[in-house]
Amino acid sequence: QAFRLQGKTVLSHDSFLLDFALQTPEHVLGLPTGKHMFLSNEVNGETVMRRYTPISSNFDIGQVKFVIKAYRPCERFPKGGKFSQHLDSLKIGDTVD
């Protein structure tokens, strides 16, 4: 099931909060504290999957939130973080699996 991006907040030069809608406005994620989820998408024709731990709780009905650090290209990693940069490029209404 794809999650639709419903909110994005820039927190710093390299971090941001993503707020995704769950299946219904009444849906509860139900993920135990400290557990992660796999997010995936097509990035440059390749399916990329990464683990992220949500910051939302079961009190956040109908949504799941993540704080993400975007790893930009640098000398040591010329391509940067493939999926974190992809997440940073998402616009409201875009989806991830």
Side-chain angles (χ1 to χ4, degrees):
Q1 173 95 21
F3 295 108
R4 183 185 53 79
L5 184 64
Q6 63 183 2
K8 183 175 181 179
T9 305
V10 175
L11 302 174
S12 72
H13 72 284
D14 65 355
S15 64
F16 49 95
L17 184 144
L18 298 179
D19 177 3
F20 291 97
L22 294 178
Q23 291 84 344
T24 69
E26 299 81 28
H27 198 89
V28 175
L29 184 62
L31 191 69
T33 301
K35 297 296 182 183
H36 64 263
M37 297 173 58
F38 281 100
L39 300 181
S40 68
N41 250 46
E42 291 286 320
V43 180
N44 298 325
E46 172 189 4
T47 299
V48 180
M49 181 184 307
R50 299 288 187 269
R51 288 184 275 249
Y52 291 95
T53 302
I55 63 162
S56 47
S57 72
N58 288 337
F59 294 107
D60 296 307
I61 298 171
Q63 62 189 9
V64 59
K65 297 179 181 181
F66 300 89
V67 170
I68 308 291
K69 177 177 178 174
Y71 291 91
R72 312 273 184 231
C74 62
E75 187 176 324
R76 188 167 169 209
F77 299 102
K79 293 184 179 180
K82 187 182 298 188
F83 202 67
S84 66
Q85 290 181 89
H86 172 72
L87 290 175
D88 193 23
S89 74
L90 294 178
K91 306 288 185 247
I92 302 300
D94 288 347
T95 60
V96 297
D97 297 319

